[in-house]
Amino acid sequence: MPYVSINERVRLYYEEKGEGPPLLFIHPPGLGHIIFRQQEPLARHFRLILYDMRGNGRSSPSDIPITVPLLADDVSILLRSLGVRRAIICGYSNGGSIALEFALRYPQHVEQLVLIGGFPEVCTPLLYGEFWLGILASKLGAFSLLSSALAIGHGTNRRERKLFKQYVRLADKQDLDTTYRAGLVYCCTEQLASLRLPLLLIYGARDRYIHAYIAMFRHYVPHANIVLIDRARHQIPTKHSGELNHILRVYGRR
C-alpha cells in the first residue's frame, strides 16, 4: 500500500489515480479518504490524490498533539513527496480549515482553493455544537455512536454506510479528539484578505447553519466564486456527487 513518511513515526496513507492537473482532497475528522469515493471518476480529468490525515484511516497515529498548522504541513510534505509543485486543493467541511491553512502558508503551491461547506472559524451555535458532539463522543468512548452518526449522515445506501462506519473506527481515538479540538479553536478569518489565489466555495442550498460564513468570505475575499447546490445540505461529496464532480470539472479546468 502506498505511504508517505512524515517522519520516523508518522506515515500517511494515500491513493492517486489519473493524469492531468493535480487535485488533492482533504477530508474532515474520522471519515478518511473514502468519503471521496464518488469523486474517483474525476481521475479521467485530473491527477486525483486522496489521503488519510494522521490519526485517521490507514495512516499512523500522531506523534505530537494535532493542530491545523501541523496538518497543513503534512499536506506540504505529501505533495512534495509525490513531486507535485502546484495543485488544486479541495477541503470538505473541517477539511476546509486545513485547506485554508495550507493556502495561507504555501500559496505558491496552490493552483486553486476549493472549499465544500467550508468555514474560516467555528462561530455559529449549531456548528459549535457539532464539534462538541465529536469531542464528547471521542472522549467518553462513544466511538460506535460517532461512527454510526457519520456513516448514516453521509452514506447513500446500506453498503456505503457499513463501509464508512468501519473506516471511522480505524481512527485513533485520542487523535480524533485533538483534531476536533484543533478545528474548534482554529480561526483564520482576518487572514482571508491575504488570499490572492482563485477561491471556489461550494455550499448546499439547504445547509443553513453554514451560510453565515458566506458573508465572511464575501467580505474578506470578494473575488471568490460561490456555488450553491439546490436541495443539498452538508454532505455534498456523497449525496450530491454528480453536481459536485461537474462543478469541479468546470472550474478546475479554467
Side-chain angles (χ1 to χ4, degrees), residues 9 19 27 67 76 79 83 111 149 154 167 172 206 210 216:
R9 297 175 297 279
E19 298 179 354
H27 66 84
T67 64
S76 176
L79 291 179
E111 188 69 37
H154 288 85
Y167 213 77
D172 181 89
R206 296 182 179 177
I210 288 293
M216 289 185 183

Side-chain angles (χ1 to χ4, degrees), residues 38 151-152 154-158 160-161 164 238-240:
Q38 294 187 41
I152 292 170
H154 288 85
T156 58
N157 55 58
R158 181 179 296 180
E160 195 172 56
R161 287 191 290 271
F164 289 161
T238 56
K239 297 193 173 180
H240 295 271

Side-chain angles (χ1 to χ4, degrees), residues 56-95:
N56 287 255
R58 299 176 185 175
S59 291
S60 307
S62 186
D63 57 336
I64 57 176
I66 290 176
T67 64
V68 173
L70 175 69
L71 297 176
D73 289 343
D74 285 351
V75 172
S76 176
I77 295 171
L78 172 64
L79 291 179
R80 186 166 66 248
S81 298
L82 297 179
V84 176
R85 189 179 66 86
R86 289 172 66 85
I88 301 168
I89 306 296
C90 183
Y92 167 48
S93 193
N94 193 34

Side-chain angles (χ1 to χ4, degrees), residues 234-248:
H234 193 63
Q235 299 84 0
I236 291 173
T238 56
K239 297 193 173 180
H240 295 271
S241 58
E243 297 99 315
L244 174 61
N245 293 353
H246 174 74
I247 293 166
L248 291 174

Side-chain angles (χ1 to χ4, degrees), residues 107-204:
Q108 70 276 20
H109 298 310
V110 182
E111 188 69 37
Q112 181 179 181
L113 178 62
V114 182
L115 304 181
I116 307 167
F119 40 88
E121 61 178 287
V122 177
C123 62
T124 61
L126 283 173
L127 188 58
Y128 187 83
E130 286 212 357
F131 269 77
W132 267 107
L133 285 174
I135 292 170
L136 291 173
S138 302
K139 201 69 174 177
L140 300 178
F143 211 55
S144 178
L145 179 62
L146 178 62
S147 62
S148 294
L150 290 173
I152 292 170
H154 288 85
T156 58
N157 55 58
R158 181 179 296 180
R159 182 173 176 273
E160 195 172 56
R161 287 191 290 271
K162 181 179 179 181
L163 176 65
F164 289 161
K165 185 173 182 178
Q166 290 173 338
Y167 213 77
V168 172
R169 289 182 172 183
L170 295 178
D172 181 89
K173 296 178 179 61
Q174 180 61 39
D175 285 344
L176 195 58
D177 173 66
T178 56
T179 303
Y180 272 118
R181 291 178 184 273
L184 184 63
V185 301
Y186 179 73
C187 177
C188 68
T189 302
E190 293 188 359
Q191 295 173 267
L192 293 177
S194 67
L195 287 176
R196 296 291 181 265
L197 47 82
L199 173 61
L200 173 62
L201 304 170
I202 303 172
Y203 293 100

